[in-house]
């Protein structure tokens, strides 16, 4: 069994695409209309079989939950994503220089990684880590 897709809710798909493609360097996997929605996925060039869906809040989420999800997204209370990179300090400088909101500068963690954290334009936490050992 292998992971193929994971999803993040985003406020604006075009804004999210600019961040994940242009700032983080992910590749567009799929950008296709589906009825009145857009199927938008990106992924790391080194992992062509992994897709990260940048999903607008809508179906299949029930309409009664849309407002609550928008509020949680705006507060940064939804799950984020973690990328492994060979040089977390260089990645930190690159993403910070692009204007992303810094949540945590690079730090050595007691569980064996050096990591840092940002918010994407929608409020999702995006972390980068490098193994220390």
């Amino acid at each position: 069994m292998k992971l193929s897709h994971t999803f993040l809710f985003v406020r604006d798909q075009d804004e999210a695409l600019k961040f994940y493609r242009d700032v983080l360097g992910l590749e567009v996997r799929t950008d296709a209309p589906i009825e009145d929605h857009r199927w938008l996925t990106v992924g790391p060039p080194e992992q062509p079989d992994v897709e990260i869906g940048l999903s607008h809040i809508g179906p299949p989420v029930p309409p009664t939950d849309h407002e609550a999800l928008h509020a949680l997204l705006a507060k940064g209370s939804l799950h984020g994503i973690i990328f492994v990179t060979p040089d977390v300090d260089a990645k930190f400088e690159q993403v910070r220089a692009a204007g992303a909101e810094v949540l945590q500068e690079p730090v050595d963690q007691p569980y064996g990684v050096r990591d840092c954290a940002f918010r994407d334009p929608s409020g999702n936490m995006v972390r980068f880590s490098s193994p220390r050992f």
Side-chain angles (χ1 to χ4, degrees):
M1 183 167 53
K2 296 182 349 181
L3 176 70
S4 69
H5 290 73
T6 188
F7 295 88
L8 294 171
F9 283 126
V10 297
R11 179 179 55 228
D12 178 296
Q13 287 179 304
D14 289 322
E15 180 182 54
L17 179 59
K18 287 178 187 171
F19 178 77
Y20 286 94
R21 180 193 59 206
D22 301 342
V23 175
L24 301 190
L26 301 184
E27 297 175 336
V28 175
R29 301 278 199 252
T30 307
D31 189 352
I34 299 178
E35 297 176 10
D36 59 344
H37 300 288
R38 179 181 182 190
W39 184 266
L40 177 60
T41 66
V42 295
E46 299 83 8
Q47 292 179 292
D49 56 343
V50 173
E51 297 188 41
I52 302 163
L54 304 176
S55 301
H56 188 265
I57 296 171
V61 174
T64 53
D65 294 339
H66 291 190
E67 186 177 326
L69 282 173
H70 279 289
L72 290 169
L73 180 61
K75 292 190 309 185
S77 296
L78 298 178
H79 289 283
I81 195 162
I82 301 173
F83 294 98
V84 174
T85 182
D87 186 344
V88 75
D89 293 279
K91 182 55 87 173
F92 174 81
E93 292 303 331
Q94 177 223 334
V95 176
R96 179 170 64 175
E101 179 187 349
V102 175
L103 293 177
Q104 176 199 300
E105 294 197 10
V107 64
D108 291 338
Q109 298 290 1
Y111 43 88
V113 301
R114 181 167 180 80
D115 70 356
C116 64
F118 293 90
R119 286 215 189 282
D120 76 4
S122 297
N124 294 301
M125 183 184 300
V126 178
R127 299 187 75 85
F128 299 94
S129 70
S130 295
R132 287 189 328 186
F133 308 123

